[in-house]
Amino acid sequence: MTLSPWARWGLRAFMFLGLVFIYVPLLLVLVNSFNGDRTFAWPPHDFTTRWWSAAWNNSGARDALWTSIKAGLGATAIALILGTMVSFAVQRFKFFGRDTLSLLIILPIALPGIVTGIALDSAWRSVIEPLGLGKGLFSVIVGHATFCVVVVYNNVLARLRRTGTSLEDASADLGASPGQTFRYVTFPLIRSALLAGGLLAFALSFDEIIVTTFTAGPGITTLPIWIFNNLFRPNQAPVVNVVAAILIVLSVIPVWFAQRLAGPETTGSRT
């Protein structure tokens, strides 16, 4: 499509405004993490790193960070297993209800987080708790895995569609067993998609707060929940700003790697 010079400049202007709208608030968080004023007066009259030292020495923030890492790793592991298996089933086999199954797998990422949280809370209270398993870290991992599965599924499914089955058929014709074919042919082909899906799944789990609120048991505090609980406490406000700045960096890294590995057409987002 050929655009006039005015149309091209208009698109560039709107793109610039969109980037400003998205990233200026994030830059303000980073700048305020060095703001010497406890009330974050703007513009900053001096800069300091003492809030970073205070955040590093805050045991609550460190414990919450470790909880978020454990929850993210657990949800990512479940998502990698289930998402990969379902993607192989949908792409490699034809069966009744295949399209419906694909829709049901993708649906959780389109649902509002509060709907997912209420549903998981109700299911846990009525089905799981009577069996003797109360809410805790495991319930958080299960809750996060419900939507983390989607990004792994999308990445692996897209890769399987691009690669086809010709190399696997050739491996079988040469006498390789199914296990050998998967190890030497299929897995190398989907390895980067698995890594990209895992990174995206971890990023989604790491900063999730709504589903976590409904699924976390007593004493379970992830980093996003810790930030929310301490956001309006005057003595904790500077530390919260530092933790938020760290969270921005930690969230950007896996998403950037995932996009580099799998390409933009296979990434997913949560609404």
Side-chain angles (χ1 to χ4, degrees):
M1 182 175 61
T2 303
L3 298 176
S4 66
W6 284 106
R8 289 198 297 269
W9 279 107
L11 288 176
R12 291 170 183 170
F14 279 111
M15 179 189 68
F16 176 76
L17 290 174
L19 293 175
V20 169
F21 180 79
I22 294 172
Y23 289 104
V24 165
L26 300 181
L27 291 176
L28 290 178
V29 171
L30 293 174
V31 172
N32 268 330
S33 67
F34 297 97
N35 193 338
D37 195 330
R38 185 179 292 273
T39 61
F40 301 135
W42 191 265
H45 59 81
D46 66 334
F47 293 92
T48 181
T49 59
R50 70 176 185 269
W51 308 131
W52 288 78
S53 300
W56 178 258
N57 295 322
N58 190 296
S59 59
R62 291 201 307 269
D63 293 341
L65 173 63
W66 178 233
T67 301
S68 290
I69 292 175
K70 291 189 291 185
L73 292 176
T76 300
I78 295 175
L80 284 172
I81 296 172
L82 296 182
T84 302
M85 294 176 67
V86 175
S87 63
F88 269 91
V90 170
Q91 178 59 25
R92 292 290 192 256
F93 303 96
K94 294 182 179 181
F95 53 89
F96 176 77
R98 184 175 66 169
D99 293 338
T100 303
L101 175 62
S102 181
L103 175 63
L104 292 176
I105 293 296
I106 297 174
L107 185 60
I109 207 169
L111 290 175
I114 192 169
V115 174
T116 303
I118 292 173
L120 290 169
D121 178 66
S122 177
W124 205 274
R125 290 178 182 273
S126 59
V127 179
I128 307 299
E129 282 190 352
L131 299 178
L133 184 59
K135 288 184 179 179
L137 180 61
F138 180 70
S139 60
V140 174
I141 291 174
V142 171
H144 290 187
T146 58
F147 54 83
C148 289
V149 168
V150 182
V151 293
V152 176
Y153 170 78
N154 283 339
N155 276 271
V156 178
L157 184 65
R159 181 59 54 83
L160 291 175
R161 285 174 176 172
R162 291 203 301 267
T163 57
T165 61
S166 57
L167 294 177
E168 295 173 344
D169 294 338
S171 175
D173 291 340
L174 292 173
S177 65
Q180 291 174 321
T181 298
F182 179 81
R183 179 181 178 184
Y184 296 110
V185 179
T186 308
F187 180 73
L189 290 174
I190 67 172
R191 181 168 47 199
S192 60
L194 287 172
L195 182 57
L199 289 171
L200 282 174
F202 182 83
L204 284 176
S205 173
F206 192 83
D207 66 0
E208 174 60 41
I209 185 171
I210 300 176
V211 173
T212 308
T213 302
F214 285 92
T215 56
I220 300 298
T221 303
T222 61
L223 193 58
I225 290 182
W226 184 90
I227 292 175
F228 182 78
N229 291 337
N230 290 272
L231 185 60
F232 302 106
R233 296 179 180 178
N235 293 332
Q236 290 287 75
V239 177
V240 169
N241 225 48
V242 173
V243 173
I246 296 173
L247 192 58
I248 291 172
V249 176
L250 293 178
S251 298
V252 167
I253 292 174
V255 174
W256 182 81
F257 272 112
Q259 188 177 34
R260 294 283 295 178
L261 288 169
E265 74 275 8
T266 60
T267 57
S269 61
R270 180 163 175 77
T271 57

